Amino acid sequence: MPDHSNRAPRVGLASLGCPKALVDSELIVTRLRAEGYDIGSDYQDSDLVIVNTCGFINSAIDESLETIGEALNENGRVIVTGCLGANTDTITAEHPQVLAVTGPHALEDVMKAVHTHLPPRHDPFTSLIPPQGIKLTPRHYAYLKISEGCNHRCSFCIIPQLRGDLVSRPIGDVMQEAQKLVDSGVRELLVISQDTSAYGVDVKYRTGFWNGQPVRTSFAELCRQLSSLGIWIRLHYVYPYPYVDDVIPLMNDGGLLPYLDIPFQHASPTILKAMKRPAHSEDILRRLQQWRRICPDLSIRSTFIVGFPGETEADFEQLLDFLYQAQLDRVGAFTYSAVDGAPANELPDPVAEEIKLERLERFMAVQAGISAEKLRRRIGTRMTVLIDAIEDEAIIARSAADAPDIDGQVIIAITDGDNSPAQEIEPGRFIDVEIIDADEHDLYASKII
């Protein structure tokens, strides 16, 4: 290892898993920088490495263990945190040489481990950090985590075991963070949690304060406050509770993006009951119709599990029928995978792996057709898009219907005039475009001069 004695201690970070874990990583990086640590760009250039793991499904566990092994091989000094860290034995059985293991959302424990194995240098000049903290996303969008944990006990999920019951952040703290992000140049906030629409339930919707005014700690009130910030606000991980109805008019009025990410997971009443999910497909279809009457531009994204234990061909056909009726805009799906500690592991009648894969292929084929037709209808329309990146021959942007990384893109061919400084074509800019083509996932557009 090279001699690093003449510079600040440097910590590398590998962040795995969902956006909620990414927010935890941002908190760790912010704290490290506040205490004078440098952030390493690779394993070899770091004095130690933190691996923020995911432990939601077996493939994520495998990826986390592989990343820990890679960090140990490349660097040798590794601290493990995150959801998989709640199962210390799983990590130490395969990688006994790690320096420390902490669970998820454990900033103080992570910093204690860092202090033990790489003490900070005390230099007040290195403690200057931006008011919004250190972000790992591009400058123009950021995740805003409003709560931790979950009160649901879905049979396939171990998140409550890893992160505990719902704990809502004070609404004043959430709004203060949001305002700082806007002031720093963020143009889109992606609101996340384990159960976004349950925000405030745990504190009985107590009154908080923002800008000197009393504000109720509730999902609907938080949405109203965020809608006043004048940027894109996108809602993720929303359960379809009745009071979600209250925010649909805000979407139609432009205060919130007309976008809801709702993890339906299935549509068969039998499977939903086995999953211990809090909704039924007939109710959902009625709600979708109601929401679309209020907000015709509403886009719905969802995720589903196929091959859940006990899923019959009839159950799967119900799921396909739901897809046809619901006409969802963006859909992700995966085959059921047993997770250590999940009650679903004890359910009878597991589905054979080849049947799971066959059903997943059929499911995605149906949704691909729905998506292609919905996107085709946008040809000839005009919309405002947010630029994410500039490539050699195209501008990569997103519409209001597209969240980063998980949804589609709007791809705009670069013309000679786009090189002019007056065009202001750069990531984080909004531009108006006309849609000229579409495929199953993406839109193609020309810029409106």
Short mmCIF file of all heavy atoms in Angstrom, two decimals, residues 11-56:
data_model
loop_
_atom_site.label_atom_id
_atom_site.label_comp_id
_atom_site.label_asym_id
_atom_site.label_seq_id
_atom_site.Cartn_x
_atom_site.Cartn_y
_atom_site.Cartn_z
N VAL A 11 -11.34 7.36 2.83
CA VAL A 11 -12.28 6.24 2.96
C VAL A 11 -12.97 6.01 1.63
O VAL A 11 -13.54 6.93 1.04
CB VAL A 11 -13.33 6.51 4.06
CG1 VAL A 11 -14.31 5.34 4.17
CG2 VAL A 11 -12.64 6.76 5.40
N GLY A 12 -12.93 4.78 1.14
CA GLY A 12 -13.69 4.40 -0.04
C GLY A 12 -15.08 3.91 0.36
O GLY A 12 -15.29 3.47 1.49
N LEU A 13 -16.01 3.98 -0.57
CA LEU A 13 -17.38 3.57 -0.27
C LEU A 13 -17.96 2.82 -1.46
O LEU A 13 -17.95 3.33 -2.59
CB LEU A 13 -18.26 4.78 0.06
CG LEU A 13 -19.75 4.48 0.28
CD1 LEU A 13 -19.96 3.71 1.58
CD2 LEU A 13 -20.58 5.76 0.30
N ALA A 14 -18.50 1.63 -1.20
CA ALA A 14 -19.28 0.89 -2.19
C ALA A 14 -20.71 0.83 -1.69
O ALA A 14 -20.97 0.26 -0.62
CB ALA A 14 -18.71 -0.51 -2.39
N SER A 15 -21.64 1.43 -2.43
CA SER A 15 -23.03 1.52 -1.99
C SER A 15 -23.91 0.64 -2.87
O SER A 15 -23.98 0.82 -4.08
CB SER A 15 -23.52 2.97 -2.05
OG SER A 15 -24.82 3.10 -1.51
N LEU A 16 -24.58 -0.34 -2.27
CA LEU A 16 -25.42 -1.28 -2.99
C LEU A 16 -26.88 -1.09 -2.57
O LEU A 16 -27.17 -0.47 -1.55
CB LEU A 16 -24.99 -2.72 -2.69
CG LEU A 16 -23.50 -3.04 -2.90
CD1 LEU A 16 -23.19 -4.46 -2.43
CD2 LEU A 16 -23.13 -2.87 -4.37
N GLY A 17 -27.79 -1.65 -3.36
CA GLY A 17 -29.19 -1.68 -2.96
C GLY A 17 -30.01 -0.53 -3.47
O GLY A 17 -29.70 0.11 -4.47
N CYS A 18 -31.06 -0.21 -2.72
CA CYS A 18 -32.12 0.69 -3.16
C CYS A 18 -31.77 2.16 -2.88
O CYS A 18 -30.76 2.46 -2.23
CB CYS A 18 -33.41 0.33 -2.44
SG CYS A 18 -33.35 0.61 -0.65
N PRO A 19 -32.60 3.09 -3.37
CA PRO A 19 -32.34 4.51 -3.08
C PRO A 19 -32.31 4.84 -1.60
O PRO A 19 -31.62 5.77 -1.18
CB PRO A 19 -33.50 5.21 -3.78
CG PRO A 19 -33.87 4.31 -4.92
CD PRO A 19 -33.67 2.92 -4.37
N LYS A 20 -33.05 4.09 -0.77
CA LYS A 20 -33.02 4.36 0.67
C LYS A 20 -31.64 4.07 1.24
O LYS A 20 -31.15 4.79 2.11
CB LYS A 20 -34.10 3.51 1.36
CG LYS A 20 -35.52 3.91 0.94
CD LYS A 20 -36.57 3.01 1.53
CE LYS A 20 -36.62 1.66 0.87
NZ LYS A 20 -37.07 1.71 -0.53
N ALA A 21 -30.99 3.01 0.73
CA ALA A 21 -29.62 2.73 1.15
C ALA A 21 -28.67 3.80 0.62
O ALA A 21 -27.69 4.15 1.30
CB ALA A 21 -29.20 1.34 0.65
N LEU A 22 -28.94 4.31 -0.57
CA LEU A 22 -28.10 5.37 -1.12
C LEU A 22 -28.14 6.61 -0.24
O LEU A 22 -27.12 7.28 -0.02
CB LEU A 22 -28.55 5.73 -2.54
CG LEU A 22 -27.73 6.80 -3.26
CD1 LEU A 22 -26.32 6.31 -3.51
CD2 LEU A 22 -28.39 7.20 -4.57
N VAL A 23 -29.32 6.93 0.30
CA VAL A 23 -29.43 8.07 1.21
C VAL A 23 -28.58 7.83 2.46
O VAL A 23 -27.90 8.74 2.95
CB VAL A 23 -30.90 8.33 1.59
CG1 VAL A 23 -31.00 9.38 2.70
CG2 VAL A 23 -31.69 8.80 0.38
N ASP A 24 -28.60 6.60 2.99
CA ASP A 24 -27.74 6.28 4.13
C ASP A 24 -26.27 6.49 3.77
O ASP A 24 -25.48 7.01 4.58
CB ASP A 24 -27.96 4.84 4.57
CG ASP A 24 -29.32 4.62 5.23
OD1 ASP A 24 -29.96 5.62 5.60
OD2 ASP A 24 -29.74 3.46 5.37
N SER A 25 -25.89 6.10 2.55
CA SER A 25 -24.51 6.30 2.11
C SER A 25 -24.17 7.78 2.03
O SER A 25 -23.06 8.20 2.39
CB SER A 25 -24.29 5.65 0.74
OG SER A 25 -24.38 4.24 0.82
N GLU A 26 -25.12 8.58 1.56
CA GLU A 26 -24.89 10.03 1.50
C GLU A 26 -24.67 10.62 2.89
O GLU A 26 -23.82 11.50 3.08
CB GLU A 26 -26.08 10.70 0.82
CG GLU A 26 -26.17 10.39 -0.67
CD GLU A 26 -27.43 10.93 -1.32
OE1 GLU A 26 -28.41 11.23 -0.60
OE2 GLU A 26 -27.45 11.04 -2.56
N LEU A 27 -25.41 10.13 3.88
CA LEU A 27 -25.21 10.60 5.25
C LEU A 27 -23.82 10.22 5.76
O LEU A 27 -23.17 11.01 6.44
CB LEU A 27 -26.29 10.01 6.16
CG LEU A 27 -27.72 10.48 5.92
CD1 LEU A 27 -28.69 9.70 6.79
CD2 LEU A 27 -27.85 11.97 6.19
N ILE A 28 -23.38 9.01 5.42
CA ILE A 28 -22.04 8.58 5.84
C ILE A 28 -20.97 9.45 5.19
O ILE A 28 -20.04 9.93 5.85
CB ILE A 28 -21.82 7.09 5.47
CG1 ILE A 28 -22.73 6.19 6.31
CG2 ILE A 28 -20.35 6.70 5.66
CD1 ILE A 28 -22.76 4.74 5.85
N VAL A 29 -21.10 9.68 3.87
CA VAL A 29 -20.12 10.50 3.17
C VAL A 29 -20.10 11.93 3.72
O VAL A 29 -19.03 12.53 3.91
CB VAL A 29 -20.40 10.50 1.65
CG1 VAL A 29 -19.52 11.52 0.94
CG2 VAL A 29 -20.16 9.12 1.07
N THR A 30 -21.28 12.49 3.97
CA THR A 30 -21.35 13.84 4.53
C THR A 30 -20.63 13.92 5.87
O THR A 30 -19.87 14.85 6.14
CB THR A 30 -22.82 14.26 4.69
OG1 THR A 30 -23.44 14.29 3.41
CG2 THR A 30 -22.92 15.65 5.32
N ARG A 31 -20.87 12.93 6.72
CA ARG A 31 -20.22 12.93 8.04
C ARG A 31 -18.70 12.75 7.90
O ARG A 31 -17.93 13.42 8.61
CB ARG A 31 -20.82 11.79 8.86
CG ARG A 31 -20.27 11.68 10.27
CD ARG A 31 -20.72 12.83 11.19
NE ARG A 31 -20.35 12.49 12.55
CZ ARG A 31 -21.13 11.83 13.40
NH1 ARG A 31 -22.33 11.43 13.01
NH2 ARG A 31 -20.72 11.55 14.61
N LEU A 32 -18.29 11.87 7.00
CA LEU A 32 -16.85 11.68 6.79
C LEU A 32 -16.19 12.98 6.35
O LEU A 32 -15.13 13.37 6.87
CB LEU A 32 -16.62 10.59 5.75
CG LEU A 32 -16.91 9.15 6.17
CD1 LEU A 32 -16.90 8.22 4.96
CD2 LEU A 32 -15.89 8.67 7.22
N ARG A 33 -16.79 13.66 5.39
CA ARG A 33 -16.20 14.91 4.90
C ARG A 33 -16.22 15.97 5.99
O ARG A 33 -15.28 16.77 6.10
CB ARG A 33 -16.97 15.40 3.67
CG ARG A 33 -16.80 14.53 2.45
CD ARG A 33 -15.36 14.55 1.92
NE ARG A 33 -15.01 15.86 1.37
CZ ARG A 33 -13.98 16.58 1.77
NH1 ARG A 33 -13.18 16.14 2.73
NH2 ARG A 33 -13.73 17.75 1.22
N ALA A 34 -17.28 15.99 6.80
CA ALA A 34 -17.37 16.98 7.88
C ALA A 34 -16.24 16.78 8.90
O ALA A 34 -15.80 17.72 9.55
CB ALA A 34 -18.72 16.89 8.58
N GLU A 35 -15.77 15.54 9.03
CA GLU A 35 -14.71 15.24 9.99
C GLU A 35 -13.33 15.24 9.36
O GLU A 35 -12.35 14.84 10.00
CB GLU A 35 -14.99 13.89 10.66
CG GLU A 35 -16.25 13.91 11.52
CD GLU A 35 -16.40 12.66 12.35
OE1 GLU A 35 -15.45 11.85 12.39
OE2 GLU A 35 -17.46 12.49 12.97
N GLY A 36 -13.24 15.67 8.10
CA GLY A 36 -11.94 15.84 7.48
C GLY A 36 -11.42 14.67 6.68
O GLY A 36 -10.28 14.70 6.21
N TYR A 37 -12.23 13.64 6.51
CA TYR A 37 -11.81 12.51 5.69
C TYR A 37 -11.97 12.85 4.21
O TYR A 37 -12.92 13.52 3.80
CB TYR A 37 -12.64 11.26 6.00
CG TYR A 37 -12.41 10.67 7.37
CD1 TYR A 37 -13.20 11.05 8.45
CD2 TYR A 37 -11.41 9.72 7.58
CE1 TYR A 37 -13.00 10.49 9.71
CE2 TYR A 37 -11.20 9.16 8.84
CZ TYR A 37 -12.00 9.56 9.89
OH TYR A 37 -11.80 9.02 11.14
N ASP A 38 -11.06 12.35 3.39
CA ASP A 38 -11.24 12.35 1.94
C ASP A 38 -12.05 11.12 1.54
O ASP A 38 -12.05 10.11 2.27
CB ASP A 38 -9.90 12.33 1.21
CG ASP A 38 -9.20 13.69 1.24
OD1 ASP A 38 -9.88 14.70 1.53
OD2 ASP A 38 -7.98 13.73 0.99
N ILE A 39 -12.71 11.20 0.39
CA ILE A 39 -13.45 10.06 -0.13
C ILE A 39 -12.66 9.45 -1.28
O ILE A 39 -12.38 10.13 -2.27
CB ILE A 39 -14.86 10.47 -0.60
CG1 ILE A 39 -15.60 11.19 0.53
CG2 ILE A 39 -15.64 9.24 -1.07
CD1 ILE A 39 -15.74 10.39 1.82
N GLY A 40 -12.29 8.20 -1.15
CA GLY A 40 -11.47 7.54 -2.15
C GLY A 40 -12.26 7.22 -3.41
O GLY A 40 -13.46 6.92 -3.36
N SER A 41 -11.58 7.26 -4.55
CA SER A 41 -12.22 6.98 -5.83
C SER A 41 -12.10 5.52 -6.22
O SER A 41 -12.79 5.07 -7.14
CB SER A 41 -11.60 7.85 -6.93
OG SER A 41 -10.20 7.62 -7.02
N ASP A 42 -11.23 4.77 -5.55
CA ASP A 42 -11.11 3.34 -5.83
C ASP A 42 -10.57 2.64 -4.59
O ASP A 42 -10.20 3.28 -3.59
CB ASP A 42 -10.22 3.07 -7.05
CG ASP A 42 -8.84 3.71 -6.93
OD1 ASP A 42 -8.21 3.55 -5.86
OD2 ASP A 42 -8.41 4.37 -7.88
N TYR A 43 -10.55 1.33 -4.62
CA TYR A 43 -10.11 0.56 -3.46
C TYR A 43 -8.66 0.83 -3.10
O TYR A 43 -8.32 1.03 -1.93
CB TYR A 43 -10.29 -0.94 -3.73
CG TYR A 43 -11.73 -1.41 -3.84
CD1 TYR A 43 -12.11 -2.31 -4.82
CD2 TYR A 43 -12.69 -0.97 -2.94
CE1 TYR A 43 -13.42 -2.76 -4.92
CE2 TYR A 43 -14.00 -1.42 -3.02
CZ TYR A 43 -14.36 -2.32 -4.02
OH TYR A 43 -15.65 -2.76 -4.10
N GLN A 44 -7.78 0.82 -4.12
CA GLN A 44 -6.35 0.91 -3.85
C GLN A 44 -5.94 2.25 -3.26
O GLN A 44 -4.98 2.33 -2.49
CB GLN A 44 -5.55 0.66 -5.14
CG GLN A 44 -5.64 -0.76 -5.67
CD GLN A 44 -6.84 -0.98 -6.56
OE1 GLN A 44 -7.69 -0.08 -6.71
NE2 GLN A 44 -6.95 -2.17 -7.13
N ASP A 45 -6.67 3.32 -3.58
CA ASP A 45 -6.29 4.65 -3.14
C ASP A 45 -6.90 5.01 -1.79
O ASP A 45 -6.76 6.13 -1.32
CB ASP A 45 -6.70 5.68 -4.20
CG ASP A 45 -6.02 7.02 -3.98
OD1 ASP A 45 -4.84 7.03 -3.61
OD2 ASP A 45 -6.69 8.07 -4.16
N SER A 46 -7.61 4.06 -1.17
CA SER A 46 -8.29 4.33 0.10
C SER A 46 -7.56 3.65 1.25
O SER A 46 -6.94 2.60 1.08
CB SER A 46 -9.73 3.82 0.02
OG SER A 46 -10.44 4.44 -1.03
N ASP A 47 -7.68 4.26 2.43
CA ASP A 47 -7.07 3.68 3.62
C ASP A 47 -7.95 2.58 4.22
O ASP A 47 -7.46 1.69 4.90
CB ASP A 47 -6.82 4.76 4.67
CG ASP A 47 -5.86 5.82 4.15
OD1 ASP A 47 -4.80 5.43 3.62
OD2 ASP A 47 -6.18 7.02 4.24
N LEU A 48 -9.24 2.68 4.02
CA LEU A 48 -10.16 1.59 4.32
C LEU A 48 -11.41 1.79 3.47
O LEU A 48 -11.61 2.86 2.89
CB LEU A 48 -10.49 1.47 5.81
CG LEU A 48 -11.25 2.58 6.57
CD1 LEU A 48 -12.74 2.56 6.28
CD2 LEU A 48 -11.06 2.38 8.07
N VAL A 49 -12.25 0.76 3.42
CA VAL A 49 -13.43 0.80 2.56
C VAL A 49 -14.67 0.45 3.38
O VAL A 49 -14.64 -0.49 4.20
CB VAL A 49 -13.30 -0.19 1.39
CG1 VAL A 49 -14.58 -0.24 0.56
CG2 VAL A 49 -12.11 0.18 0.50
N ILE A 50 -15.74 1.21 3.18
CA ILE A 50 -17.05 0.90 3.75
C ILE A 50 -17.90 0.29 2.65
O ILE A 50 -18.02 0.85 1.55
CB ILE A 50 -17.74 2.16 4.31
CG1 ILE A 50 -16.91 2.77 5.44
CG2 ILE A 50 -19.15 1.83 4.81
CD1 ILE A 50 -17.41 4.14 5.88
N VAL A 51 -18.51 -0.86 2.92
CA VAL A 51 -19.44 -1.48 1.98
C VAL A 51 -20.84 -1.40 2.58
O VAL A 51 -21.11 -2.01 3.63
CB VAL A 51 -19.06 -2.94 1.67
CG1 VAL A 51 -20.08 -3.54 0.69
CG2 VAL A 51 -17.66 -3.02 1.10
N ASN A 52 -21.71 -0.63 1.95
CA ASN A 52 -23.11 -0.52 2.38
C ASN A 52 -23.92 -1.56 1.62
O ASN A 52 -24.13 -1.45 0.42
CB ASN A 52 -23.65 0.89 2.10
CG ASN A 52 -25.00 1.13 2.75
OD1 ASN A 52 -25.54 0.27 3.45
ND2 ASN A 52 -25.57 2.31 2.53
N THR A 53 -24.37 -2.59 2.31
CA THR A 53 -24.90 -3.79 1.69
C THR A 53 -26.41 -3.77 1.55
O THR A 53 -27.12 -2.99 2.17
CB THR A 53 -24.52 -5.02 2.51
OG1 THR A 53 -25.07 -4.87 3.84
CG2 THR A 53 -23.01 -5.17 2.60
N CYS A 54 -26.91 -4.71 0.73
CA CYS A 54 -28.34 -4.99 0.61
C CYS A 54 -28.57 -6.43 1.00
O CYS A 54 -27.76 -7.31 0.68
CB CYS A 54 -28.81 -4.75 -0.83
SG CYS A 54 -30.58 -5.08 -1.09
N GLY A 55 -29.67 -6.71 1.70
CA GLY A 55 -29.96 -8.08 2.11
C GLY A 55 -31.39 -8.47 1.85
O GLY A 55 -31.95 -9.36 2.50
N PHE A 56 -32.02 -7.82 0.84
CA PHE A 56 -33.46 -7.99 0.63
C PHE A 56 -33.79 -9.35 0.02
O PHE A 56 -34.70 -10.03 0.47
CB PHE A 56 -33.98 -6.85 -0.26
CG PHE A 56 -35.46 -6.91 -0.50
CD1 PHE A 56 -36.34 -6.97 0.57
CD2 PHE A 56 -35.97 -6.90 -1.78
CE1 PHE A 56 -37.71 -7.02 0.36
CE2 PHE A 56 -37.33 -6.94 -2.00
CZ PHE A 56 -38.20 -7.00 -0.93
#
